[in-house]
Amino acid sequence: MTRTPSSFEDIPDMADEVAVLMASRFGGARRGERPPLVQMMRRRGGALPAGLRRRAARLAEAGRMSAQPKVARQLSLDDVARDHAALVAHLRPLGEISRWQGRAIGFAASVVLGLLVLGGVALWVMVRRGML
C-alpha cells in the first residue's frame, strides 16, 4: 500500500505512522504514548536493518523539516513516499495479534516436542526392561 503524499503536509502523518508501527513491533513506548519518529529512532532504531534505518532517518528528518513550509517544499515527495512504503512493508506484516499467535504456537510446539521426546524415552526404557 504505497501512499503518495500530495503535499509536504502529509509527511508528518507518514512519519507518525512509521513511529506507531515501530512502537508496536519493537516496543519503546509507554501505554498511551505516541513518541515522534525521531525519538523512536533513538530508542529502537537499532532494531531495524541498516538500509531501513537509513530510510527511517531520512523520513524522520523530512518529518522534522516539514514543519518549515519553505524548506519542506524542497523535499522530494517521491523519495519520502518510497522510504515510507519500504518501512511500512517491513513493519506492518506482523501486528500485535500475529506476534501473540506466533508466541502461542511456538509454546505449543515446544510442549508437543517435549511430550514426544518424553514418550520416546519412556518407550525406550520399557523396551530395555522387557516390558514391551
Side-chain angles (χ1 to χ4, degrees):
M1 175 171 119
T2 304
R3 184 171 134 186
T4 306
S6 58
S7 72
F8 67 90
E9 295 168 347
D10 295 337
I11 295 174
D13 294 334
M14 296 167 80
D16 288 341
E17 180 183 7
V18 171
V20 167
L21 288 172
M22 281 181 69
S24 72
R25 179 147 185 191
F26 303 133
R30 292 181 189 92
R31 183 174 301 155
E33 181 186 21
R34 292 187 62 164
L37 185 56
V38 174
Q39 191 172 16
M40 283 306 300
M41 285 299 296
R42 273 196 311 266
R43 290 180 181 177
R44 298 288 187 218
L48 289 170
L52 290 177
R53 198 175 315 134
R54 283 190 294 274
R55 287 178 179 259
R58 281 195 309 248
L59 185 60
E61 182 67 16
R64 189 184 63 77
M65 289 172 53
S66 68
Q68 304 168 359
K70 286 186 179 181
V71 177
R73 286 186 182 95
Q74 299 172 11
L75 294 172
S76 170
L77 296 179
D78 292 335
D79 291 343
V80 171
R82 277 194 294 273
D83 293 342
H84 175 262
L87 288 162
V88 168
H90 178 76
L91 295 170
R92 185 164 284 165
L94 296 177
E96 288 183 37
I97 294 173
S98 297
R99 281 194 300 280
W100 183 83
Q101 286 175 344
R103 284 192 294 259
I105 289 171
F107 176 74
S110 64
V111 167
V112 168
L113 179 65
L115 289 173
L116 281 172
V117 169
L118 181 66
V121 168
L123 188 62
W124 180 74
V125 167
M126 291 172 71
V127 167
R128 294 287 286 172
R129 291 188 175 182
M131 294 180 176
L132 284 176

